[in-house]
Amino acid sequence: MPFTTTHLRLISPLIHPSSPSIRSLVSANTKPFRLSASSAAMDSNSSCMLVLSGKSLAENEIAESLKSNSTLKLPDNSEVSIHLQSEIVKQESFDVELFMNSLATNRFGRLLIWSPRLPSTHDVVSHSFNSNFCELPVGAVCVADVQFKGRGRSKNAWESPKGCLMFSFTIQMEDGRVVPLLQYVASLALTEAINYVCSRDGLPCLDIKIKWPNDLYLNGIKVGGILCTSTYRTKKFNVSIGIGLNVNNEEPTTCLNAVLRKLSDSTYQFRREDVIAAFFNKFETFYDTFINQGFQTLEELYYKTWLHSGQRVIVQEKNEDQVVENVVTIQ
């Protein structure tokens, strides 16, 4: 079924066998400065600060080049100040060292762009009216403590308060037919990353599930979402994947730590740095499998993680000028 002509609408849970698979349903020298909490108090009219750091010497050289060339821009041409992590004396927010020490990838997440406040992390890595994407290496990630113009699918706004893990990163692909499946790979990697942190640190298992096509639910309440956008240039698809996950913010819904407190007397709390590092470690493995062997090799794990088994859905297919609806049950 073509992506452009098939739509799903959930009806209600139903326990019946027989259903199609998902493939059927969705075919410089500067003086150090002190960064304090007041830096995050900028309003939407203030300049945005970007802090660059790398996992290795190679990525740090790229960061230095990005700064010296003032490469990174925002869509509205608002003022951007760029700094290197080595210039920061004090940072009361994202722990870059913790993230880098937990990261074990060869490509993804190794060049980090952090900001205390941005319109959107997606703007930094996917702005189509400047050369950000061409200058950033594949796998570069932008993380923000607060977003004031976060967005989701269908132009929906994404609430992005402090405590939420918000990041976007870059990928290049040649086969446009499999680009839509990237959101499933990212969703799966995020759920597996949370499960990994729970297992590693001896925490209760959280009931984290994927709601098709790109949302994460915890105990039946939405706590995360994935947004993929792409542009086509020089025979390649430049894909930006944006992710928002409620880690330590109980509004507007709930978060990982709120649920964890109900399950355990431990004072442990999920840290954004741990979750994002675990995500990239999982995502790189899943992505390589996806590219080399196809999504079929990840389907079994994906089905175990999504929340739709047993639900009735209406599959709408456009046949010439008619829309045909078929009721099926997801197995």
Side-chain angles (χ1 to χ4, degrees):
M1 299 178 185
F3 282 88
T4 55
T5 59
T6 303
H7 307 278
L8 299 182
R9 186 167 77 246
L10 296 179
I11 308 175
S12 62
L14 182 68
I15 302 176
H16 278 307
S18 80
S19 84
S21 71
I22 192 170
R23 290 193 302 274
S24 301
L25 297 179
V26 287
S27 337
N29 291 326
T30 58
K31 295 181 180 180
F33 68 95
R34 184 174 300 275
L35 176 62
S36 64
S38 61
S39 300
M42 301 178 297
D43 60 33
S44 59
N45 295 319
S46 302
S47 65
C48 294
M49 179 174 63
L50 304 178
V51 180
L52 313 182
S53 59
K55 173 73 172 176
S56 70
L57 177 61
E59 288 86 28
N60 280 315
E61 288 177 346
I62 295 174
E64 292 175 2
S65 175
L66 290 170
K67 179 191 174 181
S68 61
N69 295 327
S70 299
T71 301
L72 302 176
K73 308 292 182 182
L74 293 176
D76 58 0
N77 291 321
S78 59
E79 184 180 350
V80 176
S81 61
I82 303 176
H83 308 275
L84 301 178
Q85 177 64 28
S86 57
E87 300 168 353
I88 305 297
V89 174
K90 183 180 181 182
Q91 180 174 315
E92 298 176 351
S93 185
F94 191 83
D95 191 332
V96 174
E97 184 176 359
L98 174 60
F99 166 66
M100 290 297 181
N101 289 340
S102 302
L103 189 68
T105 62
N106 294 318
R107 287 162 293 165
F108 296 106
R110 295 178 64 90
L111 177 66
L112 171 70
I113 306 168
W114 169 81
S115 178
R117 186 175 175 88
L118 277 177
S120 166
T121 59
H122 230 58
D123 291 340
V124 176
V125 300
S126 67
H127 178 34
S128 60
F129 299 107
N130 61 46
S131 59
N132 285 11
F133 207 116
C134 297
E135 297 294 334
L136 292 175
V138 170
V141 58
C142 179
V143 179
D145 291 342
V146 174
Q147 290 184 148
F148 52 85
K149 289 184 180 179
R151 58 188 183 274
R153 294 177 71 240
S154 303
K155 298 182 180 181
N156 291 327
W158 177 268
E159 295 293 332
S160 309
K162 196 170 183 179
C164 183
L165 172 60
M166 298 159 291
F167 64 100
S168 299
F169 64 101
T170 61
I171 293 180
Q172 277 191 332
M173 301 182 67
E174 295 182 357
D175 188 353
R177 295 172 297 178
V178 300
V179 168
L181 298 176
L182 269 178
Q183 61 186 332
Y184 309 145
V185 181
S187 299
L188 183 58
L190 191 53
T191 60
E192 288 299 294
I194 296 169
N195 291 335
Y196 167 78
V197 174
C198 289
S199 176
R200 182 196 65 186
D201 296 337
L203 304 172
C205 182
L206 300 185
D207 185 27
I208 190 79
K209 297 291 185 181
I210 297 170
K211 179 180 181 294
W212 188 88
N214 65 335
D215 289 331
L216 262 64
Y217 274 56
L218 179 58
N219 293 347
I221 302 174
K222 183 175 179 178
V223 294
I226 291 90
L227 174 68
C228 295
T229 61
S230 65
T231 58
Y232 186 71
R233 183 183 301 171
T234 63
K235 298 183 179 181
K236 289 184 179 180
F237 290 88
N238 293 334
V239 185
S240 298
I241 299 180
I243 293 178
L245 177 67
N246 293 354
V247 176
N248 198 34
N249 55 299
E250 299 189 36
E251 297 293 339
T253 57
T254 187
C255 65
L256 301 185
N257 284 332
V259 173
L260 182 61
R261 286 192 294 270
K262 296 178 180 179
L263 298 176
S264 174
D265 294 331
S266 171
T267 58
Y268 177 95
Q269 287 198 339
F270 285 94
R271 294 170 293 187
R272 293 180 300 154
E273 301 87 348
D274 273 338
V275 175
I276 187 176
F279 165 80
F280 280 123
N281 294 341
K282 291 289 184 181
F283 180 81
E284 185 161 288
T285 299
F286 289 164
Y287 179 77
D288 289 341
T289 300
F290 168 58
I291 293 299
N292 296 324
Q293 303 176 41
F295 187 75
Q296 296 89 334
T297 55
L298 300 173
E299 275 192 359
E300 183 177 354
L301 181 59
Y302 184 88
Y303 288 143
K304 290 180 179 179
T305 309
W306 75 340
L307 55 77
H308 298 294
S309 296
Q311 287 185 324
R312 294 177 68 189
V313 299
I314 293 177
V315 180
Q316 294 182 337
E317 295 183 82
K318 188 174 182 180
N319 186 3
E320 294 181 352
D321 294 333
Q322 292 184 332
V323 176
V324 179
E325 294 189 347
N326 297 297
V327 178
V328 300
T329 302
I330 300 175
Q331 186 179 11

